[in-house]
Amino acid sequence: MSRAEQLSFREFETSRQQWQKDYETQIPSAKVIRNRSGIAINPLYTPADWSAEHYLEDLGFPGQTPYTRGIYPTMHRGRTWTQRQLIGLGTPQDYNRRVLRLLDAGASAISLIPCNSGFRGVDCDEVPLPLLGTCGTVVNTLEDMDVALAKVPIGDISTAMNDPTPFTFLAFLVGVAKRRGVDIRRITGTSNQSDYISHFVANHMFYRLSLPGSRRVLLDHIDYCRQHLPGWNPVSVVGQHMQQAGATPAEAMAFTLCTAIQYAEDCLERGMEADAFLPRFTFFFDISISFFEEIAKFRAGRRMWARIAQDRFGACDPKSWRFKFHAQTSGLDLTVQQPLNNIARVATQAIAGILSGLQSMHTDAHDEAVASPSEEAARIAIATQNILREEAHLCDVIDPLGGSFYIEKLTNDMEEEIHAVMRRVADAGGMYRAVESGLVQSMIGHSSLAFQERIENGQQKVVGVTAYQVEEEAVQAPPKRPDPQAMQAHVESLRRFKESRDQDQISSLLDRIRQAAHSTAHSAAPSTAHSAQGNIFACVVDAAEGGVTHGEIVSCLREELGFGQPLIIA
């Protein structure tokens, strides 16, 4: 250290010590503040916490390793995030009317959420009418999908299908494309709910097949898309479910990376090359209102994945190193009380997502804590993104918080915390074994309880709930349910459709699914998962095109591969 540097350091230390003394005089017994991941947050950050000497190692430049500052050179200045609003309500006709209006309002991609009956793997004629279409769209056949996407340019717009294993909605979409003369290689989008591990852990309604059966179908799905749908992302590793269930942001990122590692290892064991499937791995996260923590979570995760792809899997294609993620503002932070306050919460979460460098985003509607979003609330949610992009100028500078002493130290701290969680999972034998044994579920349960205790003891205030309550506030009435007559007509239409089919053909198509699954039923080993008799998802596509319904396909695979029974941790 030169004499000038020594003098500068002494001046810095003198000033820092004086500030510390003044601070402690004014706040003599300051309590330790920790973020949701348990990391202690200092009142001030300085060059002592992060030095620009580590710039290339820790940050680099956008589009270059380690990708902390973004996966593309231009980031949002060249192309802003995709506005992908998740919607689903009523009949396919209801969905179509709403999605066309949202596209006119500025949405640049679409996403289809099934009715809960669909998530549970049954057709609408098996469910009491009042339960249908309240949380998503009732889609059971290729014909339903054709109606839902009428006038939607499916060859030109990205489409997310929020349908879990065995991915019947994508099969219907492929059938619609062929029916319309659209080359299926032009179809772009994501199997948004392909992450069966997250369903086993935290989203049991989505969990249709046994754990080994789900593993088998996902691998077949990845293989099919690799060969036939080059523009489709067959894997969306979902940290959102983990965080919504109570995982801390650091845990959610760690579990997500561990799950991605598990899927990549399974693909390699199947015989696929890393650069053949990793470019189509995507990620899906929650954005909580813990603003700086979320930004640090995403920055840390992005550079960790780049290193994992290169060092662990030997990927050579830079596209394999990219941590492409969709994020949704956290509905967990929304409140029934004073619901208009949720507009501010969603805007705060969205800013964190934008500054963290996401690739697509869904902003929640302010009434989602009450029921499915109303059209007015959905328009406000879209307008929130438009305002942040067009009026707030959040896209002018790439990674504008980069170089902040606080952000860089917090990013490094988050990475350490994420690594610590990942080591626990690795010690348990990897993500598949860790969830099979209940380790991950137990960790999430402890974190969820700890956060709830913070709310109850007043450490974490919730405006309108534990603080700043408004007395005698009128409760917002939930929106109307789908038109019962229209829904009844839809159910009757499905019944007529089933009766009109060639039953021998339907039986033959289901038999092909059984044959594809039969030789490896209940096997968990990916190396033996690919039956010589065929790819399960290829058979699902053929069945969907041949008139087999969603419920029939799911039921068939449940018989062959086992019913999904998540592990419940007491």
Side-chain angles (χ1 to χ4, degrees):
M1 183 182 293
S2 68
R3 179 174 176 79
E5 289 174 330
Q6 291 175 346
L7 288 172
S8 177
F9 178 74
R10 283 202 295 269
E11 291 173 359
F12 172 86
E13 273 301 297
T14 299
S15 296
R16 188 195 65 77
Q17 291 172 11
Q18 181 62 51
W19 166 81
Q20 188 75 38
K21 179 180 178 181
D22 294 343
Y23 178 85
E24 292 174 354
T25 298
Q26 295 182 37
I27 310 180
S29 58
K31 61 182 179 181
V32 176
I33 294 176
R34 295 184 182 275
N35 63 18
R36 294 187 179 189
S37 295
I39 296 170
I41 304 301
N42 299 331
L44 184 72
Y45 289 81
T46 71
D49 298 291
W50 185 81
S51 171
E53 293 177 3
H54 303 291
Y55 180 86
L56 286 177
E57 178 185 355
D58 287 353
L59 274 73
F61 290 89
Q64 299 177 16
T65 54
Y67 291 104
T68 311
R69 309 202 71 178
I71 61 174
Y72 301 117
T74 60
M75 288 305 290
H76 295 152
R77 210 174 203 214
R79 178 183 177 184
T80 59
W81 63 93
T82 301
Q83 292 178 245
R84 188 186 299 279
Q85 293 302 106
L86 281 69
I87 62 168
L89 185 70
T91 65
Q93 291 87 345
D94 294 329
Y95 175 86
N96 182 251
R97 285 191 290 269
R98 180 169 289 193
V99 77
L100 292 177
R101 284 196 289 267
L102 289 178
L103 289 172
D104 288 340
S108 53
I110 62 173
S111 185
L112 200 162
I113 298 179
C115 169
N116 283 351
S117 62
F119 276 132
R120 295 187 183 280
V122 298
D123 289 333
C124 64
D125 58 351
E126 304 173 68
V127 179
L129 192 70
L131 300 180
L132 293 173
T134 57
C135 297
T137 305
V138 180
V139 173
N140 296 138
T141 65
L142 188 153
E143 280 67 23
D144 290 343
M145 184 64 74
D146 201 3
V147 172
L149 299 180
K151 300 182 180 179
V152 174
I154 58 175
D156 302 313
I157 192 168
S158 178
T159 306
M161 290 294 159
N162 292 274
D163 177 55
T165 301
F167 315 111
T168 58
F169 276 33
L170 176 58
F172 294 149
L173 177 62
V174 169
V176 170
K178 291 179 179 179
R179 179 178 289 184
R180 297 182 186 178
V182 176
D183 184 349
I184 63 172
R185 297 178 65 85
R186 287 179 52 199
I187 295 176
T188 61
T190 303
S191 295
N192 250 16
Q193 297 298 340
S194 52
D195 181 4
Y196 70 87
I197 285 179
S198 73
H199 303 160
F200 182 79
V201 171
N203 206 336
H204 298 172
M205 182 174 65
F206 290 20
Y207 193 62
R208 294 172 177 164
L209 306 177
S210 67
L211 197 60
S214 297
R215 192 182 202 180
R216 160 73 196 279
V217 176
L218 177 60
L219 284 169
D220 281 4
H221 180 64
I222 295 169
D223 213 3
Y224 179 93
C225 292
R226 179 180 63 85
Q227 296 181 54
H228 303 288
L229 302 173
W232 191 264
N233 300 319
V235 178
S236 175
V237 192
V238 185
Q240 185 206 35
H241 297 154
M242 309 287 192
Q243 195 160 326
Q244 289 270 304
T248 68
E251 286 175 335
M253 179 59 71
F255 295 146
T256 302
L257 292 175
C258 287
T259 302
I261 289 170
Q262 182 69 68
Y263 293 158
E265 289 179 341
D266 287 353
C267 287
L268 290 171
E269 195 168 349
R270 170 68 81 87
M272 303 180 210
E273 296 291 333
D275 285 324
F277 60 82
L278 285 182
R280 290 297 169 187
F281 270 38
T282 62
F283 300 84
F284 181 6
F285 290 99
D286 217 36
I287 315 172
S288 79
I289 204 167
S290 185
F291 187 82
F292 294 107
E293 183 177 8
E294 290 293 340
I295 294 171
K297 175 184 83 175
F298 291 125
R299 296 172 93 247
R302 186 158 47 225
R303 73 184 181 203
M304 291 175 73
W305 177 247
R307 291 167 183 159
I308 290 168
Q310 294 174 78
D311 300 340
R312 182 164 186 155
F313 299 124
C316 299
D317 187 347
K319 293 179 181 178
S320 299
W321 311 337
R322 293 172 180 169
F323 188 73
K324 298 178 295 185
F325 71 95
H326 168 82
Q328 180 172 352
T329 58
S330 179
L332 201 63
D333 290 331
L334 305 188
T335 64
V336 174
Q337 299 89 338
Q338 302 179 39
L340 290 179
N341 290 347
N342 293 332
I343 297 175
R345 292 187 177 100
V346 169
T348 302
Q349 295 164 338
I351 294 170
I354 293 166
L355 296 184
S356 70
L358 48 69
Q359 276 61 64
S360 70
M361 178 166 59
H362 166 93
T363 36
D364 290 333
H366 64 79
D367 58 0
E368 287 194 37
V370 179
S372 292
S374 64
E375 284 203 47
E376 180 185 20
R379 283 196 298 270
I380 292 173
I382 292 175
T384 298
Q385 295 193 44
N386 293 338
I387 290 167
L388 295 177
R389 184 184 64 246
E390 305 295 348
E391 298 184 31
H393 294 278
L394 295 187
C395 303
D396 288 356
V397 177
I398 301 168
D399 188 31
L401 296 182
S404 157
F405 302 130
Y406 174 35
I407 284 294
E408 300 308 344
K409 178 62 165 63
L410 185 56
T411 299
N412 290 342
D413 288 345
M414 286 291 285
E415 183 169 348
E416 289 182 11
E417 187 67 22
I418 293 165
H419 271 304
V421 176
M422 293 179 72
R423 283 193 292 272
R424 289 191 64 183
V425 172
D427 289 345
M431 193 63 176
Y432 189 94
R433 297 303 177 197
V435 301
E436 193 176 43
S437 68
L439 171 67
V440 172
Q441 297 91 316
S442 179
M443 293 173 68
I444 291 174
H446 285 301
S447 295
S448 179
L449 180 60
F451 185 69
Q452 185 60 35
E453 288 174 347
R454 288 183 62 187
I455 293 175
E456 292 177 359
N457 65 27
Q459 286 182 282
Q460 175 66 61
K461 291 182 172 60
V462 181
V463 174
V465 180
T466 65
Y468 309 104
Q469 294 106 322
V470 175
E471 294 183 3
E472 299 180 353
E473 181 184 7
V475 177
Q476 180 174 330
K480 294 181 180 179
R481 291 178 177 273
D483 181 354
Q485 291 184 334
M487 189 59 70
Q488 182 64 55
H490 183 68
V491 173
E492 293 298 331
S493 176
L494 177 64
R495 288 173 178 158
R496 290 192 299 271
F497 172 81
K498 287 183 174 180
E499 293 171 356
S500 67
R501 300 174 301 175
D502 181 335
Q503 298 305 318
D504 290 338
Q505 177 182 339
I506 298 302
S507 296
S508 176
L509 290 167
L510 289 172
D511 283 343
R512 286 187 58 198
I513 293 176
R514 292 189 182 95
Q515 291 167 10
H518 180 69
S519 64
T520 57
H522 311 297
S523 171
S527 59
T528 61
H530 193 199
S531 167
Q533 299 180 46
N535 180 298
I536 290 177
F537 184 66
C539 295
V540 169
V541 171
D542 290 343
E545 292 182 45
V548 183
T549 69
H550 166 74
E552 291 166 340
I553 292 171
V554 174
S555 178
C556 175
L557 282 170
R558 278 174 167 163
E559 292 175 4
E560 298 304 320
L561 299 175
F563 197 97
Q565 296 288 355
L567 182 66
I568 307 300
I569 303 298

